[in-house]
Amino acid sequence: MAETKKNAGKLKNILKAPFVQEMCRTTANMYRLGWDERNGGNISYLLNEEEVAQYLDLGKVIRTIPTGFDATPLIGKIFIVTGTGKYFKNVEYDPETNLGIIRIAKDGTTAELLWGYKDGGRFTSELPAHLMSHISRLSVDPAHRVVMHSHPTYTIAMNTVCPADEKDFTHKLWQSNTESIVVFPDGVGILPCMVCGTNEIGEATAEKMKKFRLVVWTNHGIYGTGKDMDEAFGLIETVEKTAQIYMLTLGHTVNVIPDETLWGLAKRFDVTPLEGVLEK
């Protein structure tokens, strides 16, 4: 007990932790860009235990919260997660209420709250979808860390006027902006319109995440993933910018990027385009 108190006295200020400040900056940017209206959108960020231990006593659990999902592959993993019903615009002003740091307990179905949600709140209702996606992405990319969900306007608009076909959707994006094939050569996965906040949509998303880093939920929004916050944010940002170009020119397009040039871009930037999208 004396040793625990001694170590606790050496803990750094959690509000100055890079991962807390990064969540504050990112959520503020996403709200400012109009991606996350009201309490829309959520982020979960897999943290390094050694880093967290510099700021929190990992032996102190505030309370436990059922996750609603068996996340056994993630037992012992620590995440910082946006709260349910919380507005992204408020995160930077009150991180401890709007964010929480959780650890997946030994039973795999419970989250141990280590910090945050100080008003008695809990993590986003879409945490099961996030955890499923983390499991899928880690299985193909051990460097994976972030799952980010938002409602970017032009992405949803483009998804509304285009078929729910991921190769067609990806092709239209690649044809509209040369950055697209370079930033997401693996393409964009698409799910049909489903009820959000359910394990069913989480499972469908996780299945897509075995192949894609980006998944569009028809009529709803997008999931982006990455090894860090910049990668996940940058993927969504590039899709949204390109979707805006597509929608602003819809019905008036004279020039699109030909497949020959897209192949040239792939070769120039040493990326492999999603198979079956471009003509040989």
Side-chain angles (χ1 to χ4, degrees), residues 235-252:
L235 284 169
I236 296 174
E237 185 177 35
T238 307
V239 170
E240 173 65 359
K241 173 65 173 288
T242 307
Q244 181 178 10
I245 294 169
Y246 182 88
M247 292 305 297
L248 289 173
T249 59
L250 185 61
H252 303 282

Side-chain angles (χ1 to χ4, degrees), residues 105-154:
K106 292 180 180 179
D107 63 6
T109 61
T110 305
E112 299 172 332
L113 181 63
L114 304 177
W115 174 84
Y117 308 140
K118 70 176 183 180
D119 62 349
R122 54 181 288 156
F123 41 73
T124 170
S125 62
E126 290 178 348
L127 182 68
H130 279 246
L131 296 179
M132 293 177 201
S133 290
H134 279 294
I135 292 170
S136 284
R137 290 307 305 164
L138 286 167
S139 72
V140 296
D141 179 11
H144 161 84
R145 290 294 178 272
V146 177
V147 172
M148 182 180 293
H149 173 54
S150 65
H151 308 152
T153 305
Y154 287 96

Side-chain angles (χ1 to χ4, degrees), residues 173-250:
L173 289 170
W174 287 355
Q175 286 181 316
S176 301
N177 178 7
T178 53
E179 286 289 301
S180 292
I181 194 171
V182 177
V183 174
F184 48 92
D186 44 341
V188 179
I190 295 185
L191 291 180
C193 189
M194 300 174 68
V195 177
C196 58
T198 64
N199 282 7
E200 287 74 18
I201 197 168
E203 290 164 0
T205 304
E207 187 61 32
K208 292 288 185 184
M209 286 291 180
K210 294 176 182 177
K211 183 176 182 181
F212 301 103
R213 291 172 297 159
L214 289 157
V215 177
V216 167
W217 287 6
T218 292
N219 303 120
H220 182 109
I222 191 169
Y223 263 65
T225 64
K227 65 181 182 298
D228 54 33
M229 205 73 80
D230 279 349
E231 182 179 15
F233 186 94
L235 284 169
I236 296 174
E237 185 177 35
T238 307
V239 170
E240 173 65 359
K241 173 65 173 288
T242 307
Q244 181 178 10
I245 294 169
Y246 182 88
M247 292 305 297
L248 289 173
T249 59
L250 185 61

Side-chain angles (χ1 to χ4, degrees), residues 249-263:
T249 59
L250 185 61
H252 303 282
T253 305
V254 175
N255 299 309
V256 296
I257 304 168
D259 285 5
E260 180 181 359
T261 302
L262 291 171
W263 278 117

